[in-house]
Amino acid sequence: MYRAPVEEIAFTLKHVAGLKPALDAGNFGELGEDLVDAILAEAGRFASEEVAPLYTVGDQHGAVLNGAAVTTPPGWKELYRRWIGGGWNALSAPEAYGGQALPAMLGVAALEMWNSASMAFGIAPTLTMAAVEALDKHGSKALKVKYLEKLVSGEWMGTMNLTEPQAGSDLNALRTRAEPAGDGTYRIFGQKIFITYGEHDFTDNIIHLVLARLPDAPAGTRGLSLFLVPKFLVGDDGALGARNDVFCSGLEHKLGIHASPTCTMIYGDGFEGSRPGAIGWLVGEENKGLACMFTMMNNARLAVGMQGVAVAEAATQKALAYANDRRQGKAASYRGAGMAPIVHHPDIQRSLLTMKALTQIARAICYSCAHAIDLASQNEDAKHWQERANLLTPLAKAFSTDVGVEVASLGLQVHGGMGFIEETGAAALYRDARIAPIYEGTNGIQAIDLVTRKLPLGGGRHVHGYIAELKAVADAARASNLEGFGRTADRLDQALDELSQATRFLQDLQAEGRSDEALAGATPYLRLISLAAGGAYLARGALADQNRIALCRFFAENLLGEVGALKERVIGGADSLAVAGKALISA
């Protein structure tokens, strides 16, 4: 069963992603390492001892729809009550509404542990936290007073309602409409699909944030507005009132995360004889809803990246335990009697080390993104750190979720035939992981965002400043003269040079207006920059703790060479893609 890797998480936060220098500089007031360690330890205990034991019942029982009501698996409602009782929902929320205002770095570290223990449970509060941020930044004072305290505490939960049957990634196609009621409220009509925890029994109210169009709105995304639509109306005294005209009409039957209810939500259909029209309140300005929603989405993208890290960690632990227990064949390194534990076989070792390395670099990227978010709100050089957060967000979301799938698949392979059998749990992790590359903007969209919006940041200079920082780590590894690094510094230098070449190539294409050619290289470029950065992060960790040198060297000498092939795909793959792609298009 999963055990939270508290020491590994703390080390990555402090010595790789930058928390310790920030604490030493006083960026977080009186927060010190002792409190950080205590928070991580208790989060690890709760995840390991209370969430993880309910993983299997969640996967096997799933969420159940009866009429318009959803029941979560046995024990889950009580687990959620204990979780919010521990104050975990309020960890990084604003103090003004009962939050603890701790750094985002601590919030995502805890989020990793909840999701490793059970992704279907860990996903539950993710959009509540995102809703808190959106309301805090864009909501009216009245909405903040009425809703934020209970959202922060977790007494109520939030959702994000974008997707419709005809509108997935293309929000231009949204049809849900909002009609002004003349009293400051709006009536919402429409259908939303794939709504995570849109209906459940964890809380007595659910606060939906819904994108919809006003009658006179401009076409496309410029005409979208954001509305707050509660499941139950709330009186001025905070008491729950009448049921709103919104309900769940169906649950999706999914590959994984069975305990997480993925709902079809109906707005304005006259639920249980009510007057048609779900009552909603405008969040932010009319026709500026997408900007408000992206406050939620950027938060959610990092959170989804953490889901990839989380599943990768759980899969690695499960595979390593199995490899030490399962005995097959002979191995030269095994001196015992009988068959050798399969962990002695070089191919199994390669798989396990690949899993460990990918998990660690995905964690480092996500924590570094959270670090940048923290400093963007508390540091004098806010513009620099906001650009860094913007640059790392697509890496954190896309690379980390790809890693979650890749590592879960490797873990299943380590188990052999038993991995394909549900009882071992290896297959369940793979099933859970597969949604994350699709959530919150598919990974292809993240790559497009990286190339078209993030590489131009700071006039195109920010990414090169980031690469220079990574090169300084390679220089430090070389200057250390530590034998254990082997060819790490040389391999890092080569990878970072190839990253620089690919980056300038894509920036030049954009400057010349050759966007299709740039987009053809977007996905391989996102993996390229992530692997190159990951190699530097592993080296940074190894410089801080020499026990980590062996894994760093393994990655540099066995996996980092992929960067060269990715560079060739970025620079030389567009023409062949365009020619071959034409054959795929039907008339």
Side-chain angles (χ1 to χ4, degrees):
M1 187 180 293
Y2 168 77
R3 301 300 301 178
V6 174
E7 291 184 5
E8 177 66 32
I9 287 171
F11 180 89
T12 305
L13 283 171
K14 295 175 187 177
H15 302 291
V16 179
L19 179 58
K20 190 176 190 309
L23 291 174
D24 292 344
N27 290 113
F28 305 118
E30 296 181 1
L31 180 66
E33 286 193 59
D34 288 347
L35 181 55
V36 168
D37 291 341
I39 292 169
L40 294 176
E42 178 55 22
R45 185 207 65 77
F46 192 96
S48 303
E49 298 178 8
E50 302 202 41
V51 182
L54 290 178
Y55 175 87
T56 301
V57 69
D59 182 58
Q60 294 178 353
H61 186 281
V64 177
L65 178 66
N66 184 11
V70 171
T71 304
T72 53
W76 276 52
K77 179 179 179 180
E78 294 76 15
L79 172 66
Y80 179 77
R81 303 308 298 181
R82 295 195 300 274
W83 184 81
I84 63 170
W88 295 113
N89 199 72
L91 203 64
S92 298
E95 285 184 291
Y97 301 99
Q100 300 171 49
L102 288 167
M105 295 183 83
L106 280 178
V108 298
L111 196 63
E112 176 189 330
M113 293 186 255
W114 316 137
N115 280 279
S116 282
S118 171
M119 183 172 157
F121 179 82
I123 199 173
T126 298
L127 294 177
T128 302
M129 298 171 187
V132 166
E133 186 173 2
L135 279 178
D136 187 42
K137 289 188 177 180
H138 305 289
S140 67
K141 182 177 180 181
L143 289 180
K144 292 178 183 181
V145 168
K146 183 171 285 189
Y147 292 99
L148 271 181
E149 186 174 330
K150 290 187 177 180
L151 284 170
V152 165
S153 71
E155 183 178 343
W156 295 344
M157 281 174 60
T159 72
M160 179 168 66
N161 288 238
L162 285 79
T163 308
E164 299 177 8
Q166 78 291 341
S169 300
D170 187 356
L171 297 180
N172 288 291
L174 290 182
R175 296 175 184 165
T176 297
R177 69 186 196 276
E179 299 178 358
D183 60 357
T185 66
Y186 298 78
R187 298 298 178 268
I188 312 300
F189 301 87
Q191 179 186 32
K192 297 290 185 177
I193 62 172
F194 302 156
I195 308 306
T196 299
Y197 278 86
E199 174 63 28
H200 55 80
D201 57 2
F202 281 3
T203 61
D204 57 8
N205 205 5
I206 304 170
I207 312 305
H208 304 288
L209 293 185
V210 185
L211 277 182
R213 285 184 197 284
L214 291 164
D216 56 351
T221 57
R222 294 178 303 161
L224 297 176
S225 300
L226 184 64
F227 299 90
L228 183 152
V229 184
K231 176 181 175 180
F232 286 94
L233 302 178
V234 181
D236 291 338
D237 60 355
L240 296 184
R243 175 71 185 257
N244 206 352
D245 187 13
V246 52
F247 70 97
C248 171
S249 67
L251 292 183
E252 302 297 343
H253 302 281
K254 309 188 298 293
L255 178 68
I257 55 169
H258 294 151
S260 169
T262 303
C263 304
T264 297
M265 304 301 297
I266 305 297
Y267 292 85
D269 199 46
F271 179 65
E272 294 183 339
S274 63
R275 180 182 176 184
I279 300 173
W281 286 261
L282 182 68
V283 177
E285 299 178 37
E286 291 186 354
N287 304 324
K288 298 291 179 64
L290 200 57
C292 302
M293 184 62 79
F294 267 104
T295 298
M296 293 186 74
M297 289 191 71
N298 284 332
N299 178 304
R301 284 171 175 172
L302 175 55
V304 172
M306 290 314 308
Q307 292 171 355
V309 176
V311 175
E313 174 62 38
T316 300
Q317 289 189 21
K318 185 176 287 290
L320 182 58
Y322 183 83
N324 275 281
D325 182 64
R326 175 69 167 167
R327 293 172 179 267
Q328 288 286 286
K330 301 291 186 182
S333 66
Y334 182 60
R335 298 290 182 265
M339 293 186 293
I342 64 173
V343 73
H344 285 269
H345 296 299
D347 188 61
I348 298 296
Q349 292 174 352
R350 178 186 301 276
S351 294
L352 291 169
L353 290 169
T354 298
M355 294 169 75
K356 284 177 66 71
L358 290 175
T359 301
Q360 287 191 18
I361 66 177
R363 178 183 287 122
I365 288 170
C366 287
Y367 288 5
S368 296
C369 182
H371 177 61
I373 291 170
D374 284 328
L375 294 191
S377 63
Q378 302 191 21
N379 192 282
E380 292 179 358
D381 197 4
K383 182 175 183 293
H384 166 84
W385 287 110
Q386 187 59 59
E387 288 182 349
R388 179 60 51 84
N390 292 344
L391 175 67
L392 292 180
T393 295
L395 277 62
K397 193 279 173 181
F399 178 74
S400 300
T401 55
D402 283 344
V403 161
V405 174
E406 185 175 348
V407 169
S409 180
L410 282 170
L412 195 153
Q413 187 72 20
V414 168
H415 281 76
M418 294 304 296
F420 204 64
I421 305 301
E422 288 288 354
E423 284 78 2
T424 64
L429 291 172
Y430 182 79
R431 290 189 283 101
D432 287 351
R434 194 57 192 85
I435 185 58
I438 300 170
Y439 268 151
E440 306 308 335
T442 64
N443 286 358
I445 289 174
Q446 301 304 312
I448 292 169
D449 177 61
L450 173 64
V451 168
T452 60
R453 295 189 178 93
K454 306 308 167 57
L455 292 190
L457 289 170
R461 294 182 297 276
H462 187 90
V463 65
H464 293 288
Y466 178 59
I467 295 170
E469 293 173 24
L470 301 176
K471 287 183 175 181
V473 178
D475 292 342
R478 176 176 286 105
S480 72
N481 290 319
L482 292 170
E483 268 186 44
F485 272 121
R487 293 172 290 169
T488 295
D490 291 339
R491 293 297 176 86
L492 267 177
D493 280 340
Q494 181 178 352
L496 293 168
D497 285 345
E498 288 167 333
L499 171 59
S500 293
Q501 294 171 39
T503 302
R504 294 193 186 280
F505 177 79
L506 290 174
Q507 288 177 326
D508 289 345
L509 287 181
Q510 289 285 95
E512 295 166 11
R514 297 158 64 186
S515 59
D516 280 355
E517 292 175 64
L519 295 182
T523 291
Y525 177 80
L526 189 148
R527 184 169 177 88
L528 187 164
I529 188 174
S530 300
L531 289 174
Y537 287 138
L538 286 178
R540 183 181 290 168
L543 287 166
D545 177 3
Q546 293 184 29
N547 292 321
R548 296 169 175 268
I549 289 178
L551 184 63
C552 174
R553 178 184 176 186
F554 167 81
F555 179 79
E557 296 183 4
N558 288 271
L559 303 178
L560 197 52
E562 184 183 347
V563 165
L566 290 166
K567 185 201 76 172
E568 292 304 316
R569 288 172 61 189
V570 171
I571 291 177
D575 286 347
S576 60
L577 176 61
V579 171
K582 290 178 181 177
L584 302 174
I585 302 171
S586 59

